[in-house]
Structures are given as structure tokens and as C-alpha cells.
């Protein structure tokens, strides 16, 4: 095989041969042959001036990049619990049977690979699949057969019927954000109009041209004050005060500042960013631009999760329009010296990149491994420069605040949770989709609005969040009670909550980045314990092991994934213990691995079956 050098050169040229664009370059290089052959890795490493091991290491880190032949058609079934509930595994079996392939193995003719992947952000219209990265929702046996036929005929994905790829927004309840009538540029102009913003305001110390603006409440300073007054808190889950984050970044020493929008919503059950980026992209970019104005950034990144590849071209069109309209580029909105532009960076299937420092590593063209903190990104972020990272929804809210003011915003919601929250509602309900409520809404109200009946449990904020039962449905969605990044999954009385926890345990083990041993091994051991319980071979000893593993993960994990991996197991053991107890075979210890059984093949090959060829099983 010859190296497709000309095509690779074109890709390298598009990214200016920058090593920071390595992930984007690898992603596009993979499209040439459907995988990344060794000569391609070698060539890219040489051209980028990087060690080959570094390039291979990055390619091996992201699950959507392949270092081995993966088939011209790569079909990945979304495997969140809501996809399971909608029958994704039966559909996967049907497709494998139809194409004569085994799950997880590329067909011998190199045509197709069928496998599973973590949640694809289509829980309101699952089961969903990705074909070569393109999302197809609402799979049914009929659609599976249609996909099989297209693959058998080797029909290029770009020419498949558009109807297959149609994705609904499912906006079920709108409030101040989803109901906004803000026009592109309104928020930026409002921010600028708060102060004179004179053209030559470059600071003597070159920290930022905006440092030169008088300390009185004008321009960027006045807008920052509005953001602080609004009490806006980050919508990604942690709830850090946005105004303080922006202020810290603005004050930090650095040659450049950066704005990063975290659109890597990988938490199973969350899909609100998908809708915001589809229908409210201008609002997202507007919020990023206001942030740039406040902190003094010239460059911004939107980190888009790989599963939302279908949004890349439409988002680039929005950016192009905004450049044409003077809302990006030099002299934004005619303001001399206000220069800002946004680049989109597409992820490649790594949940851990939702953690802001891992996301920054990925933006720099590295493996998405969380950094040691402190220092925090506000002082040492992208390329070690001050960087503000916020969630998609946070930037939308910031744009509204820039226009309407902090007092208006803090008047909505509760005392500690200002504004509204957008929920991604899925699971057992009649009307799944996007719901926006002022903070403080009860779980019961949401269940009523989405048409959920006989609900036994709700998983708030995905697997790393909280699972509550029916006695807690009067609790409120708010930072002071039930904080959430947005996922709201309802389970009715027919569901086995052990199966829910099992799915989440496998999710964490699959998504552990492997950097630290306690998380890599601990999440795998958790899966073994849960698999053993599922097989009806568990004992009280195994339940105790879950608690011991939690102590290990809490004490020794490097990032939040390891810290929260036991949450769904704890919550369900506490609230739905019978679901576990009916799986206990005995109160005594049963080994998860039958060592003697595993040696049966060796005994067969050596023709031995005497006592010495058997191992005693010890506790
Ligand atoms: Fe990676 Fe897990 Fe360690 Fe986080 S805790 S760095 S996900 S191995």
C-alpha cells in the first residue's frame, strides 16, 4: 500500500502543520481509508515533527480513531441505559445477523464493523447509531434492514436517504433562554455600549489591551459586574460562579487569553447542548464573544463532541455568517481593537475530555488526560495561558445577561440558583425532550409535564449524579438540593434498577482513560462484581467489596470520573436493595473467576485430568 501523501499533505496544510491540531489531522486522515495505517502515522509524525509514539499514543486514546482495519462502514450502537430500554441490543443482533458479522470484529472483506459506543446524545429519540460518525436516531427493525441493505450495496454514506439522519429538537418547554428573541449581535452591542471602549487601550504591561480601560464600571468591566451580579453559575455540573471565573482569567498574567466552550456533553442522558447548538448557535457564539470582550481574548474554541459531527458544517456556516456580519474577526461590531474569532475542534469519542483540563489537553493535540490542579485553566489553560472554559448553556445565559442585566437574571430561580436550567428528559415518559425551568422546580413537576407514569426512580445528572426514588420527588432542581448538568432519566416500576446500575458501571469502566491505576483497575473490578451479581453468583461479600472499592477510588483517583464511579451503585443499593439481594446466591464468598475451570482447556490439550491437574479453590 502506498502512502496517500497528497491527501495527507492537503490536510496538514489546512491545519498549518500545527502539532496542536493533531487530533483534527488524525480524524481527517482516517477518512481516507477508514483507519490509520502505520505508514500514515509515521508520515504525519515526521511532517509534524513529533515522536511517532506520541502520534500513535494520541490515535490510540480516542475510541473513534482506529489503528487497525475497522471496516469501510463503522456502525456503532449507542449503549446508554435508555437505548437498552428501547431494545438496542436486539437491533444490534439483527444487523450483525443480516451482515454476517460478529460484534466488535471487522468483516473479513473489510466492509463493516458493528459494535457499541457510549451514549450518543440522542436519548430522546433512541435507539441511535453512528455510521462512520454520522448519527441516525429512532432505529427500528425496518431501519436496521435498510441500513444493512445500503452497506451490502456499498452505498457511500453521503448518499444515504437524508430522512435517515433527520434529528428532532424536541423542545417541550421554553423559558427565558429557549424563548429568547435576541438577534445576533444584540448582546455584544449591549456589552460594548456599557462603556466608551476607546480604541487604543493597550496596557502598558501588554497583559491585554483591555487592561487599559479605566477601573470604573465601563465596557468590559461593567459587563463583568453584570455577570457577577447575576449570580450565574456554571451549567456543566460543578456550579462555579461564572463572574468570578471570568474575573480571575481577566486578571491573570499571560500573553494571550482564550475562551473555550465545552460542548463535549458526554454524560449519558444529556443532549441539551445538541439542541442549543442546532437552534441557538448564535446565542452560544454571542456568549463566547461577550466573554472574550470581558477577559480580553482574541481566540476562542468550541470543543464539539465527536458524536455531534453532524453539527460541524452548520456551525461553521454560522461562524462564516457572523464573520461576514462583523460579529467576529477584526473590530467586532465596529469596536476598534476588539478582535476575536472562534475555531471548532471536533472530539473523537472520549468522555473524560468533558473535564476541562482534559479538554484543553485534547485541544492541544494530546491525549485527553486530566491535568493536576492547581494551577487552574483560568491562569494556566490552553498553551499555559489564561483560559476561560464554560459550558454551552452557561455562554447562552451570559449572552442574555449582557443584554438584560444581572438584576433581571438573579430575579429568576432561587436564592442560591439564579436563572433557569435546561433538562434533557428521557426514559419512561410520554414526551421526552428538552425542558427549561426556573431553578427550584420539583422533580414531581417535571415528571408530570413529561408524562411519566408509575415512576420508581429518576437519575439526575447522569451516572455521576444522583438516583432518587419516589419518596424524594418533591426535591428541587437547584444547586442547593439536586444540582444537575441536565440529564433527567425516568424509570418506571417495570425497570430493574440493578440493570441500570450495571449499565453505568460498564460505562465508567469503558470511559476510564487508564491514566491512574486505581481508576483503571477499580472500575474494571466494579464491573466484575456487578457481572457476578447479575449471574446470580454474588454474596454479601461482593456488596462489601463495592464499598471497599469506593474508598479506593475516592482516595486515589486523579479526576472526577474515578471519584463518582460508585455513585450509581451506592444510590441503587441504598434505595433498591431488593434488586441486589435477589441476586445473592449466598451470604458466603463466591469467587468471580473460576480458575480451575479456566484450566480445562489446558487439561484437555495435555490429556491430564488427575488431581494434580486441578486447583483447589480457596477463599
Ligand atoms: Fe483517567 Fe480515571 Fe484517572 Fe480520571 S480517575 S485520570 S478517568 S484513570
Amino acid at each position: 500500500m502506498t502512502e496517500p501523501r497528497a491527501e495527507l499533505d492537503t490536510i496538514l496544510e489546512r491545519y498549518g502543520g500545527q502539532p496542536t491540531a493533531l487530533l483534527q489531522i488524525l480524524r481527517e486522515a482516517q477518512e481516507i481509508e477508514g483507519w490509520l495505517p502505520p505508514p500514515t502515522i509515521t508520515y504525519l509524525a515526521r511532517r509534524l515533527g513529533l515522536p511517532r509514539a506520541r502520534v500513535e499514543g494520541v490515535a490510540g486514546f480516542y475510541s473513534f480513531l482506529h489503528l487497525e482495519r475497522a471496516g469501510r462502514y463503522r456502525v456503532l450502537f449507542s449503549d446508554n441505559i435508555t437505548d437498552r430500554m428501547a431494545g438496542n441490543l436486539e437491533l444490534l443482533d439483527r444487523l450483525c445477523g443480516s451482515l454476517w458479522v460478529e460484534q466488535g470484529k471487522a468483516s473479513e472483506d473489510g466492509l463493516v464493523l458493528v459494535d457499541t459506543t457510549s451514549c450518543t446524545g440522542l436519548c430522546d429519540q433512541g435507539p441511535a447509531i453512528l455510521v462512520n460518525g454520522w448519527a441516525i436516531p429512532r432505529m427500528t427493525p425496518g431501519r436496521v434492514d435498510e441500513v444493512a441493505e445500503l452497506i451490502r450495496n456499498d452505498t457511500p454514506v453521503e448518499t444515504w436517504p437524508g430522512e435517515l439522519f433527520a434529528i428532532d429538537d424536541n423542545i417541550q418547554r421554553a423559558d427565558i433562554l429557549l424563548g429568547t428573541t435576541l438577534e445576533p449581535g444584540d448582546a455584544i452591542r449591549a456589552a460594548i455600549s456599557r462603556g466608551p471602549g476607546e480604541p487604543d487601550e493597550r496596557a502598558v504591561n501588554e497583559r491585554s489591551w483591555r487592561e487599559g480601560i479605566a477601573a470604573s464600571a465601563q465596557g468590559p468591566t461593567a459587563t463583568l459586574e453584570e455577570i457577577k451580579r447575576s449570580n450565574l453559575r456554571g451549567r456543566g455540573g460543578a456550579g462555579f460562579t461564572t463572574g468570578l471565573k471570568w474575573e480571575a482569567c481577566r486578571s491573570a498574567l499571560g500573553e494571550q487569553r482564550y475562551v473555550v466552550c465545552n460542548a463535549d456533553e458526554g454524560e449519558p442522558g444529556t443532549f441539551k447542548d445538541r439542541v442549543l447548538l442546532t437552534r441557538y448557535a448564535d446565542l452560544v457564539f454571542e456568549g463566547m464573544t461577550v466573554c472574550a470582550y470581558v477577559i480580553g481574548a482574541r481566540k476562542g474554541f468550541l470543543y464539539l463532541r465527536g458524536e455531534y459531527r453532524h453539527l460541524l458544517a452548520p456551525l461553521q456556516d454560522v461562524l462564516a455568517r457572523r464573520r461576514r456580519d462583523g460579529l467576529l474577526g477584526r473590530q467586532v461590531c465596529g469596536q476598534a481593537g476588539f478582535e476575536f474569532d472562534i475555531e471548532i475542534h471536533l472530539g473523537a469519542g472520549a468522555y473524560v475530555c468533558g473535564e476541562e483540563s482534559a479538554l484543553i489537553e485534547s485541544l492541544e493535540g494530546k491525549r485527553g488526560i486530566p491535568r493536576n490542579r492547581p494551577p487552574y485553566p483560568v491562569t494556566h489553560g490552553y498553551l499555559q495561558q489564561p483560559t476561560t472554559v464554560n459550558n454551552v448553556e452557561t455562554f447562552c445565559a451570559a449572552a442574555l445577561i449582557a443584554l438584560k442585566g444581572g438584576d433581571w437574571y438573579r430575579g429568576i430561580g432561587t436564592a442560591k440558583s439564579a436563572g433557569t436550567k435546561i433538562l434533557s428528559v428521557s426514559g419512561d415518559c410520554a414526551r421526552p425532550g428538552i425542558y427549561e425551568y426556573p431553578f427550584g422546580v420539583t422533580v414531581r413537576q417535571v415528571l408530570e409535564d413529561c408524562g411519566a407514569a408509575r415512576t420508581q426512580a429518576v437519575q439526575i445528572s447522569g451516572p455521576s449524579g444522583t438516583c432518587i426514588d419516589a419518596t424524594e420527588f418533591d426535591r428541587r432542581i437547584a444547586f442547593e438540593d439536586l444540582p444537575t448538568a441536565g440529564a433527567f432519566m425516568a424509570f418506571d416500576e417495570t425497570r430493574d434498577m440493578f440493570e441500570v446500575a450495571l449499565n453505568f458501571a460498564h460505562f465508567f469502566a469503558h470511559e476510564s482513560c487508564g491514566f491512574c491505576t486505581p481508576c483503571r483497575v477499580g472500575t474494571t473490578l466494579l464491573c466484575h462484581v456487578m457481572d457476578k451479581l447479575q449471574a446470580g453468583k454474588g454474596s454479601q461479600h461482593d456488596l462489601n467489596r463495592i464499598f471497599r472499592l469506593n474508598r479506593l477510588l475516592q482516595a486515589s483517583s486523579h479526576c472526577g470520573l474515578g471519584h463518582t464511579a460508585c455513585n450509581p451503585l451506592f444510590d441503587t443499593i441504598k434505595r433498591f436493595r431488593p434488586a441486589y439481594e435477589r441476586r445473592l446466591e449466598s451470604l458466603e464468598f463466591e469467587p468471580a473467576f473460576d480458575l480451575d475451570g479456566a484450566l480445562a482447556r489446558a487439561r484437555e490439550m495435555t490429556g491430564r485430568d488427575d488431581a494434580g491437574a486441578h486447583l483447589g479453590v480457596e477463599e
Side-chain angles (χ1 to χ4, degrees), residues 215-277:
S216 59
Q218 294 177 336
T221 324
T223 301
L224 176 61
E225 287 308 314
E226 292 300 328
I227 300 288
K228 283 162 69 179
R229 191 175 303 127
S230 73
N231 263 346
L232 174 65
R233 295 171 68 174
R235 299 300 196 245
F240 193 80
T241 308
T242 305
L244 295 182
K245 185 185 267 192
W246 289 18
E247 187 170 49
C249 189
R250 178 183 158 82
S251 318
L253 286 172
E255 289 168 9
Q256 292 286 339
R257 290 180 177 71
Y258 296 94
V259 177
V260 175
C261 178
N262 183 347
D264 192 47
E265 62 171 354
E267 195 71 40
T270 314
F271 48 88
K272 67 183 173 61
D273 291 353
R274 185 198 81 218
V275 180
L276 288 174
L277 292 165

Side-chain angles (χ1 to χ4, degrees), residues 352 370 512-516 519-520 557-559 561-562:
V352 73
S512 167
C513 78
F515 173 70
C516 46
C519 172
R520 186 179 67 242
S557 293
H558 181 57
C559 83
L561 187 149

Side-chain angles (χ1 to χ4, degrees), residues 28-154:
E28 291 193 20
Q30 177 168 278
E31 290 183 10
I32 300 170
E33 295 184 60
W35 67 300
L36 294 162
T40 296
I41 298 287
T42 307
Y43 185 69
L44 291 178
R46 195 166 65 235
R47 287 290 316 275
L48 291 167
L50 295 171
R52 191 184 186 285
R54 154 97 187 268
V55 177
E56 193 170 9
V58 170
F61 182 83
Y62 297 91
S63 62
F64 291 171
L65 297 180
H66 305 282
L67 288 166
E68 292 177 2
R69 269 184 209 286
R72 291 195 295 285
Y73 297 87
R74 299 169 297 284
V75 184
L76 299 175
F77 278 76
S78 182
D79 198 23
N80 183 26
I81 185 65
T82 50
D83 295 296
R84 287 276 174 110
M85 285 154 54
N88 69 334
L89 294 187
E90 291 77 11
L91 295 171
L92 182 148
D93 285 345
R94 185 182 181 102
L95 186 65
C96 285
S98 179
L99 294 169
W100 290 84
V101 291
E102 207 178 311
Q103 182 188 337
K105 284 190 184 166
S107 58
E108 285 189 6
D109 59 1
L111 180 69
V112 62
L113 170 87
V114 180
D115 209 343
T116 57
T117 186
S118 298
C119 180
T120 53
L122 288 159
C123 315
D124 55 331
Q125 45 207 299
I129 61 171
L130 298 176
V131 182
N132 293 359
W134 300 99
I136 301 182
R138 297 182 299 277
M139 291 303 290
T140 59
R143 278 160 88 91
V144 165
D145 296 345
E146 188 178 356
V147 166
E149 187 67 13
L150 288 162
I151 291 174
R152 262 196 304 271
N153 293 335
D154 212 348

